mmCIF file of all heavy atoms in Angstrom:
data_model
loop_
_atom_site.group_PDB
_atom_site.id
_atom_site.type_symbol
_atom_site.label_atom_id
_atom_site.label_comp_id
_atom_site.label_asym_id
_atom_site.label_seq_id
_atom_site.Cartn_x
_atom_site.Cartn_y
_atom_site.Cartn_z
ATOM 1 N N GLY A 1 -6.631 15.097 -18.792
ATOM 2 C CA GLY A 1 -7.570 16.171 -19.082
ATOM 3 C C GLY A 1 -9.008 15.727 -19.267
ATOM 4 O O GLY A 1 -9.846 16.518 -19.716
ATOM 5 N N LEU A 2 -9.322 14.481 -18.887
ATOM 6 C CA LEU A 2 -10.673 13.966 -19.139
ATOM 7 C C LEU A 2 -11.738 14.704 -18.335
ATOM 8 O O LEU A 2 -12.875 14.875 -18.806
ATOM 9 C CB LEU A 2 -10.735 12.465 -18.830
ATOM 10 C CG LEU A 2 -9.807 11.569 -19.663
ATOM 11 C CD1 LEU A 2 -10.107 10.098 -19.385
ATOM 12 C CD2 LEU A 2 -9.935 11.868 -21.148
ATOM 13 N N PHE A 3 -11.398 15.160 -17.123
ATOM 14 C CA PHE A 3 -12.395 15.839 -16.290
ATOM 15 C C PHE A 3 -12.690 17.255 -16.808
ATOM 16 O O PHE A 3 -13.696 17.854 -16.440
ATOM 17 C CB PHE A 3 -11.928 15.897 -14.839
ATOM 18 C CG PHE A 3 -11.920 14.561 -14.158
ATOM 19 C CD1 PHE A 3 -10.783 13.765 -14.174
ATOM 20 C CD2 PHE A 3 -13.059 14.089 -13.521
ATOM 21 C CE1 PHE A 3 -10.772 12.521 -13.562
ATOM 22 C CE2 PHE A 3 -13.057 12.844 -12.901
ATOM 23 C CZ PHE A 3 -11.914 12.061 -12.926
ATOM 24 N N GLY A 4 -11.825 17.764 -17.651
ATOM 25 C CA GLY A 4 -12.041 19.110 -18.184
ATOM 26 C C GLY A 4 -12.515 19.124 -19.620
ATOM 27 O O GLY A 4 -12.600 20.202 -20.232
ATOM 28 N N LEU A 5 -12.847 17.972 -20.188
ATOM 29 C CA LEU A 5 -13.154 17.881 -21.612
ATOM 30 C C LEU A 5 -14.194 18.896 -22.104
ATOM 31 O O LEU A 5 -13.935 19.612 -23.079
ATOM 32 C CB LEU A 5 -13.611 16.452 -21.964
ATOM 33 C CG LEU A 5 -12.501 15.445 -22.237
ATOM 34 C CD1 LEU A 5 -13.077 14.063 -22.451
ATOM 35 C CD2 LEU A 5 -11.684 15.871 -23.456
ATOM 36 N N PRO A 6 -15.393 18.980 -21.483
ATOM 37 C CA PRO A 6 -16.425 19.845 -22.084
ATOM 38 C C PRO A 6 -16.436 21.274 -21.570
ATOM 39 O O PRO A 6 -17.430 21.985 -21.745
ATOM 40 C CB PRO A 6 -17.714 19.115 -21.690
ATOM 41 C CG PRO A 6 -17.419 18.558 -20.343
ATOM 42 C CD PRO A 6 -15.942 18.210 -20.359
ATOM 43 N N PHE A 7 -15.340 21.716 -20.947
ATOM 44 C CA PHE A 7 -15.313 23.042 -20.333
ATOM 45 C C PHE A 7 -14.332 23.959 -21.050
ATOM 46 O O PHE A 7 -13.335 23.515 -21.622
ATOM 47 C CB PHE A 7 -14.939 22.935 -18.855
ATOM 48 C CG PHE A 7 -15.854 22.059 -18.059
ATOM 49 C CD1 PHE A 7 -15.491 20.759 -17.715
ATOM 50 C CD2 PHE A 7 -17.097 22.520 -17.655
ATOM 51 C CE1 PHE A 7 -16.332 19.943 -16.983
ATOM 52 C CE2 PHE A 7 -17.959 21.717 -16.921
ATOM 53 C CZ PHE A 7 -17.582 20.429 -16.587
ATOM 54 N N SER A 8 -14.589 25.251 -20.963
ATOM 55 C CA SER A 8 -13.745 26.228 -21.639
ATOM 56 C C SER A 8 -12.376 26.311 -20.974
ATOM 57 O O SER A 8 -12.216 26.034 -19.781
ATOM 58 C CB SER A 8 -14.420 27.608 -21.616
ATOM 59 O OG SER A 8 -14.471 28.110 -20.289
ATOM 60 N N GLU A 9 -11.387 26.717 -21.745
ATOM 61 C CA GLU A 9 -10.028 26.868 -21.231
ATOM 62 C C GLU A 9 -9.953 27.980 -20.190
ATOM 63 O O GLU A 9 -9.082 27.955 -19.313
ATOM 64 C CB GLU A 9 -9.070 27.153 -22.390
ATOM 65 C CG GLU A 9 -8.973 25.992 -23.377
ATOM 66 C CD GLU A 9 -8.059 26.312 -24.543
ATOM 67 O OE1 GLU A 9 -7.470 27.414 -24.543
ATOM 68 O OE2 GLU A 9 -7.925 25.461 -25.439
ATOM 69 N N GLU A 10 -10.870 28.929 -20.278
ATOM 70 C CA GLU A 10 -10.917 30.042 -19.332
ATOM 71 C C GLU A 10 -10.992 29.560 -17.890
ATOM 72 O O GLU A 10 -10.443 30.174 -16.973
ATOM 73 C CB GLU A 10 -12.122 30.930 -19.648
ATOM 74 C CG GLU A 10 -12.376 32.037 -18.651
ATOM 75 C CD GLU A 10 -13.696 32.747 -18.877
ATOM 76 O OE1 GLU A 10 -14.402 32.402 -19.833
ATOM 77 O OE2 GLU A 10 -14.012 33.659 -18.071
ATOM 78 N N HIS A 11 -11.695 28.446 -17.682
ATOM 79 C CA HIS A 11 -11.878 27.929 -16.322
ATOM 80 C C HIS A 11 -10.994 26.714 -16.039
ATOM 81 O O HIS A 11 -11.204 25.997 -15.061
ATOM 82 C CB HIS A 11 -13.346 27.563 -16.110
ATOM 83 C CG HIS A 11 -14.275 28.732 -16.222
ATOM 84 N ND1 HIS A 11 -14.320 29.738 -15.283
ATOM 85 C CD2 HIS A 11 -15.185 29.065 -17.171
ATOM 86 C CE1 HIS A 11 -15.220 30.636 -15.637
ATOM 87 N NE2 HIS A 11 -15.757 30.252 -16.777
ATOM 88 N N GLY A 12 -10.012 26.473 -16.919
ATOM 89 C CA GLY A 12 -9.107 25.352 -16.700
ATOM 90 C C GLY A 12 -9.501 24.100 -17.434
ATOM 91 O O GLY A 12 -8.903 23.031 -17.205
ATOM 92 N N GLY A 13 -10.490 24.185 -18.322
ATOM 93 C CA GLY A 13 -10.936 23.034 -19.082
ATOM 94 C C GLY A 13 -10.112 22.806 -20.339
ATOM 95 O O GLY A 13 -9.145 23.512 -20.610
ATOM 96 N N MET A 14 -10.545 21.826 -21.135
ATOM 97 C CA MET A 14 -9.811 21.453 -22.343
ATOM 98 C C MET A 14 -10.361 22.140 -23.587
ATOM 99 O O MET A 14 -9.821 21.968 -24.679
ATOM 100 C CB MET A 14 -9.876 19.925 -22.520
ATOM 101 C CG MET A 14 -9.236 19.141 -21.379
ATOM 102 S SD MET A 14 -7.472 19.459 -21.211
ATOM 103 C CE MET A 14 -6.865 18.656 -22.694
ATOM 104 N N GLY A 15 -11.468 22.875 -23.428
ATOM 105 C CA GLY A 15 -12.028 23.590 -24.572
ATOM 106 C C GLY A 15 -12.780 22.710 -25.537
ATOM 107 O O GLY A 15 -13.037 23.115 -26.681
ATOM 108 N N GLY A 16 -13.165 21.526 -25.106
ATOM 109 C CA GLY A 16 -13.930 20.617 -25.963
ATOM 110 C C GLY A 16 -15.420 20.823 -25.801
ATOM 111 O O GLY A 16 -15.882 21.908 -25.445
ATOM 112 N N ASP A 17 -16.185 19.778 -26.029
ATOM 113 C CA ASP A 17 -17.632 19.870 -25.896
ATOM 114 C C ASP A 17 -18.182 18.599 -25.246
ATOM 115 O O ASP A 17 -17.434 17.682 -24.889
ATOM 116 C CB ASP A 17 -18.319 20.128 -27.249
ATOM 117 C CG ASP A 17 -17.975 19.061 -28.291
ATOM 118 O OD1 ASP A 17 -17.697 17.910 -27.909
ATOM 119 O OD2 ASP A 17 -18.002 19.375 -29.502
ATOM 120 N N TYR A 18 -19.498 18.556 -25.083
ATOM 121 C CA TYR A 18 -20.138 17.445 -24.376
ATOM 122 C C TYR A 18 -19.995 16.135 -25.143
ATOM 123 O O TYR A 18 -19.931 15.053 -24.550
ATOM 124 C CB TYR A 18 -21.606 17.764 -24.139
ATOM 125 C CG TYR A 18 -22.179 17.118 -22.895
ATOM 126 C CD1 TYR A 18 -21.972 17.684 -21.639
ATOM 127 C CD2 TYR A 18 -22.905 15.937 -22.975
ATOM 128 C CE1 TYR A 18 -22.488 17.089 -20.497
ATOM 129 C CE2 TYR A 18 -23.430 15.339 -21.841
ATOM 130 C CZ TYR A 18 -23.214 15.920 -20.600
ATOM 131 O OH TYR A 18 -23.718 15.321 -19.477
ATOM 132 N N PHE A 19 -19.940 16.230 -26.465
ATOM 133 C CA PHE A 19 -19.777 15.015 -27.263
ATOM 134 C C PHE A 19 -18.414 14.382 -27.007
ATOM 135 O O PHE A 19 -18.282 13.158 -26.990
ATOM 136 C CB PHE A 19 -19.960 15.338 -28.749
ATOM 137 C CG PHE A 19 -19.907 14.131 -29.644
ATOM 138 C CD1 PHE A 19 -20.831 13.107 -29.506
ATOM 139 C CD2 PHE A 19 -18.930 14.021 -30.623
ATOM 140 C CE1 PHE A 19 -20.793 11.992 -30.323
ATOM 141 C CE2 PHE A 19 -18.877 12.907 -31.447
ATOM 142 C CZ PHE A 19 -19.805 11.895 -31.305
ATOM 143 N N ALA A 20 -17.385 15.205 -26.807
ATOM 144 C CA ALA A 20 -16.064 14.678 -26.488
ATOM 145 C C ALA A 20 -16.108 13.878 -25.190
ATOM 146 O O ALA A 20 -15.503 12.802 -25.080
ATOM 147 C CB ALA A 20 -15.063 15.827 -26.369
ATOM 148 N N LEU A 21 -16.838 14.396 -24.198
ATOM 149 C CA LEU A 21 -17.016 13.653 -22.951
ATOM 150 C C LEU A 21 -17.677 12.308 -23.217
ATOM 151 O O LEU A 21 -17.262 11.279 -22.675
ATOM 152 C CB LEU A 21 -17.859 14.470 -21.971
ATOM 153 C CG LEU A 21 -18.324 13.733 -20.718
ATOM 154 C CD1 LEU A 21 -17.135 13.369 -19.831
ATOM 155 C CD2 LEU A 21 -19.329 14.571 -19.938
ATOM 156 N N CYS A 22 -18.706 12.310 -24.053
ATOM 157 C CA CYS A 22 -19.430 11.068 -24.355
ATOM 158 C C CYS A 22 -18.528 10.035 -25.017
ATOM 159 O O CYS A 22 -18.611 8.839 -24.707
ATOM 160 C CB CYS A 22 -20.634 11.364 -25.240
ATOM 161 S SG CYS A 22 -21.950 12.276 -24.403
ATOM 162 N N LEU A 23 -17.677 10.475 -25.928
ATOM 163 C CA LEU A 23 -16.746 9.549 -26.570
ATOM 164 C C LEU A 23 -15.821 8.913 -25.539
ATOM 165 O O LEU A 23 -15.545 7.699 -25.591
ATOM 166 C CB LEU A 23 -15.921 10.287 -27.619
ATOM 167 C CG LEU A 23 -16.658 10.764 -28.871
ATOM 168 C CD1 LEU A 23 -15.706 11.561 -29.765
ATOM 169 C CD2 LEU A 23 -17.253 9.595 -29.642
ATOM 170 N N ALA A 24 -15.337 9.723 -24.592
ATOM 171 C CA ALA A 24 -14.457 9.203 -23.551
ATOM 172 C C ALA A 24 -15.190 8.210 -22.655
ATOM 173 O O ALA A 24 -14.653 7.153 -22.304
ATOM 174 C CB ALA A 24 -13.887 10.350 -22.720
ATOM 175 N N LEU A 25 -16.424 8.531 -22.306
ATOM 176 C CA LEU A 25 -17.208 7.641 -21.457
ATOM 177 C C LEU A 25 -17.464 6.303 -22.136
ATOM 178 O O LEU A 25 -17.395 5.244 -21.501
ATOM 179 C CB LEU A 25 -18.545 8.303 -21.102
ATOM 180 C CG LEU A 25 -18.478 9.484 -20.136
ATOM 181 C CD1 LEU A 25 -19.831 10.180 -20.053
ATOM 182 C CD2 LEU A 25 -18.035 9.028 -18.755
ATOM 183 N N GLU A 26 -17.764 6.337 -23.421
ATOM 184 C CA GLU A 26 -18.018 5.084 -24.132
ATOM 185 C C GLU A 26 -16.794 4.185 -24.097
ATOM 186 O O GLU A 26 -16.902 2.976 -23.832
ATOM 187 C CB GLU A 26 -18.418 5.365 -25.580
ATOM 188 C CG GLU A 26 -18.716 4.079 -26.346
ATOM 189 C CD GLU A 26 -19.063 4.284 -27.803
ATOM 190 O OE1 GLU A 26 -19.427 5.423 -28.189
ATOM 191 O OE2 GLU A 26 -18.959 3.310 -28.577
ATOM 192 N N GLU A 27 -15.623 4.762 -24.352
ATOM 193 C CA GLU A 27 -14.410 3.942 -24.382
ATOM 194 C C GLU A 27 -14.024 3.421 -23.011
ATOM 195 O O GLU A 27 -13.568 2.284 -22.876
ATOM 196 C CB GLU A 27 -13.258 4.741 -25.000
ATOM 197 C CG GLU A 27 -13.428 5.024 -26.478
ATOM 198 C CD GLU A 27 -13.633 3.759 -27.303
ATOM 199 O OE1 GLU A 27 -12.997 2.729 -26.996
ATOM 200 O OE2 GLU A 27 -14.429 3.798 -28.261
ATOM 201 N N LEU A 28 -14.224 4.219 -21.962
ATOM 202 C CA LEU A 28 -13.933 3.736 -20.613
ATOM 203 C C LEU A 28 -14.876 2.603 -20.225
ATOM 204 O O LEU A 28 -14.448 1.569 -19.691
ATOM 205 C CB LEU A 28 -14.061 4.884 -19.610
ATOM 206 C CG LEU A 28 -12.961 5.944 -19.636
ATOM 207 C CD1 LEU A 28 -13.330 7.106 -18.727
ATOM 208 C CD2 LEU A 28 -11.611 5.354 -19.212
ATOM 209 N N ALA A 29 -16.179 2.790 -20.493
ATOM 210 C CA ALA A 29 -17.177 1.783 -20.114
ATOM 211 C C ALA A 29 -17.030 0.511 -20.919
ATOM 212 O O ALA A 29 -17.521 -0.544 -20.517
ATOM 213 C CB ALA A 29 -18.579 2.353 -20.264
ATOM 214 N N ARG A 30 -16.369 0.592 -22.041
ATOM 215 C CA ARG A 30 -16.109 -0.602 -22.844
ATOM 216 C C ARG A 30 -15.234 -1.582 -22.075
ATOM 217 O O ARG A 30 -15.249 -2.782 -22.328
ATOM 218 C CB ARG A 30 -15.421 -0.165 -24.140
ATOM 219 C CG ARG A 30 -15.453 -1.145 -25.269
ATOM 220 C CD ARG A 30 -15.082 -0.463 -26.578
ATOM 221 N NE ARG A 30 -14.900 -1.405 -27.655
ATOM 222 C CZ ARG A 30 -14.734 -1.055 -28.921
ATOM 223 N NH1 ARG A 30 -14.734 0.231 -29.255
ATOM 224 N NH2 ARG A 30 -14.559 -1.984 -29.854
ATOM 225 N N VAL A 31 -14.501 -1.041 -21.097
ATOM 226 C CA VAL A 31 -13.644 -1.857 -20.233
ATOM 227 C C VAL A 31 -14.184 -1.917 -18.809
ATOM 228 O O VAL A 31 -14.201 -2.978 -18.191
ATOM 229 C CB VAL A 31 -12.202 -1.309 -20.238
ATOM 230 C CG1 VAL A 31 -11.363 -1.976 -19.158
ATOM 231 C CG2 VAL A 31 -11.574 -1.511 -21.609
ATOM 232 N N ASP A 32 -14.648 -0.769 -18.287
ATOM 233 C CA ASP A 32 -15.165 -0.753 -16.910
ATOM 234 C C ASP A 32 -16.122 0.405 -16.687
ATOM 235 O O ASP A 32 -15.851 1.535 -17.076
ATOM 236 C CB ASP A 32 -14.029 -0.648 -15.897
ATOM 237 C CG ASP A 32 -14.577 -0.514 -14.484
ATOM 238 O OD1 ASP A 32 -15.247 -1.454 -14.034
ATOM 239 O OD2 ASP A 32 -14.383 0.546 -13.882
ATOM 240 N N SER A 33 -17.217 0.120 -15.989
ATOM 241 C CA SER A 33 -18.246 1.127 -15.748
ATOM 242 C C SER A 33 -18.027 1.931 -14.469
ATOM 243 O O SER A 33 -18.511 3.056 -14.368
ATOM 244 C CB SER A 33 -19.631 0.461 -15.697
ATOM 245 O OG SER A 33 -20.009 0.006 -16.970
ATOM 246 N N SER A 34 -17.327 1.392 -13.491
ATOM 247 C CA SER A 34 -17.086 2.154 -12.264
ATOM 248 C C SER A 34 -16.238 3.384 -12.545
ATOM 249 O O SER A 34 -16.522 4.483 -12.062
ATOM 250 C CB SER A 34 -16.395 1.280 -11.210
ATOM 251 O OG SER A 34 -17.304 0.417 -10.565
ATOM 252 N N VAL A 35 -15.193 3.198 -13.330
ATOM 253 C CA VAL A 35 -14.353 4.321 -13.708
ATOM 254 C C VAL A 35 -15.142 5.303 -14.569
ATOM 255 O O VAL A 35 -15.055 6.533 -14.401
ATOM 256 C CB VAL A 35 -13.099 3.822 -14.455
ATOM 257 C CG1 VAL A 35 -12.355 4.978 -15.103
ATOM 258 C CG2 VAL A 35 -12.185 3.069 -13.497
ATOM 259 N N ALA A 36 -15.946 4.763 -15.498
ATOM 260 C CA ALA A 36 -16.728 5.627 -16.384
ATOM 261 C C ALA A 36 -17.751 6.446 -15.612
ATOM 262 O O ALA A 36 -17.909 7.644 -15.861
ATOM 263 C CB ALA A 36 -17.419 4.774 -17.454
ATOM 264 N N ILE A 37 -18.449 5.838 -14.660
ATOM 265 C CA ILE A 37 -19.482 6.594 -13.920
ATOM 266 C C ILE A 37 -18.831 7.607 -12.988
ATOM 267 O O ILE A 37 -19.420 8.669 -12.712
ATOM 268 C CB ILE A 37 -20.424 5.655 -13.135
ATOM 269 C CG1 ILE A 37 -21.672 6.421 -12.673
ATOM 270 C CG2 ILE A 37 -19.734 5.012 -11.944
ATOM 271 C CD1 ILE A 37 -22.482 7.042 -13.785
ATOM 272 N N THR A 38 -17.628 7.326 -12.522
ATOM 273 C CA THR A 38 -16.917 8.323 -11.713
ATOM 274 C C THR A 38 -16.664 9.581 -12.529
ATOM 275 O O THR A 38 -16.882 10.707 -12.058
ATOM 276 C CB THR A 38 -15.588 7.753 -11.189
ATOM 277 O OG1 THR A 38 -15.846 6.614 -10.356
ATOM 278 C CG2 THR A 38 -14.820 8.794 -10.392
ATOM 279 N N LEU A 39 -16.230 9.408 -13.777
ATOM 280 C CA LEU A 39 -16.007 10.551 -14.661
ATOM 281 C C LEU A 39 -17.324 11.226 -15.023
ATOM 282 O O LEU A 39 -17.436 12.465 -14.962
ATOM 283 C CB LEU A 39 -15.298 10.097 -15.934
ATOM 284 C CG LEU A 39 -15.106 11.170 -17.018
ATOM 285 C CD1 LEU A 39 -14.236 12.321 -16.502
ATOM 286 C CD2 LEU A 39 -14.499 10.556 -18.280
ATOM 287 N N GLU A 40 -18.332 10.441 -15.381
ATOM 288 C CA GLU A 40 -19.621 11.019 -15.785
ATOM 289 C C GLU A 40 -20.223 11.857 -14.676
ATOM 290 O O GLU A 40 -20.661 12.993 -14.898
ATOM 291 C CB GLU A 40 -20.590 9.898 -16.188
ATOM 292 C CG GLU A 40 -21.852 10.371 -16.874
ATOM 293 C CD GLU A 40 -22.931 10.865 -15.911
ATOM 294 O OE1 GLU A 40 -22.934 10.379 -14.761
ATOM 295 O OE2 GLU A 40 -23.768 11.711 -16.312
ATOM 296 N N ALA A 41 -20.259 11.312 -13.470
ATOM 297 C CA ALA A 41 -20.857 12.038 -12.349
ATOM 298 C C ALA A 41 -20.023 13.249 -11.958
ATOM 299 O O ALA A 41 -20.562 14.297 -11.598
ATOM 300 C CB ALA A 41 -21.031 11.100 -11.149
ATOM 301 N N ALA A 42 -18.699 13.116 -12.018
ATOM 302 C CA ALA A 42 -17.825 14.229 -11.652
ATOM 303 C C ALA A 42 -18.018 15.412 -12.595
ATOM 304 O O ALA A 42 -17.972 16.574 -12.176
ATOM 305 C CB ALA A 42 -16.369 13.775 -11.678
ATOM 306 N N VAL A 43 -18.266 15.125 -13.870
ATOM 307 C CA VAL A 43 -18.403 16.185 -14.867
ATOM 308 C C VAL A 43 -19.833 16.687 -14.960
ATOM 309 O O VAL A 43 -20.127 17.860 -14.709
ATOM 310 C CB VAL A 43 -17.908 15.705 -16.242
ATOM 311 C CG1 VAL A 43 -18.208 16.754 -17.317
ATOM 312 C CG2 VAL A 43 -16.418 15.409 -16.197
ATOM 313 N N SER A 44 -20.765 15.791 -15.316
ATOM 314 C CA SER A 44 -22.131 16.251 -15.623
ATOM 315 C C SER A 44 -22.942 16.583 -14.379
ATOM 316 O O SER A 44 -23.824 17.448 -14.427
ATOM 317 C CB SER A 44 -22.864 15.210 -16.469
ATOM 318 O OG SER A 44 -23.127 14.042 -15.728
#
């Protein structure tokens, strides 16, 4: 559900917010940035 983190459930998202996305990006980039930038660009 990482690609749907900051989106409403109405549109198939997880109902979270932009900060939730940021937390996920930080943890991914702690190991690898290619995966993290794929998520960041896909979402934002």
Side-chain angles (χ1 to χ4, degrees):
L2 299 188
F3 291 91
L5 276 175
F7 302 102
S8 68
E9 296 178 3
E10 174 189 358
H11 298 290
M14 298 297 290
D17 57 28
Y18 210 81
F19 184 61
L21 170 66
C22 290
L23 291 176
L25 289 171
E26 181 182 341
E27 291 304 323
L28 288 172
R30 199 165 171 171
V31 169
D32 175 63
S33 290
S34 282
V35 168
I37 194 59
T38 299
L39 175 62
E40 191 278 333
V43 173
S44 68

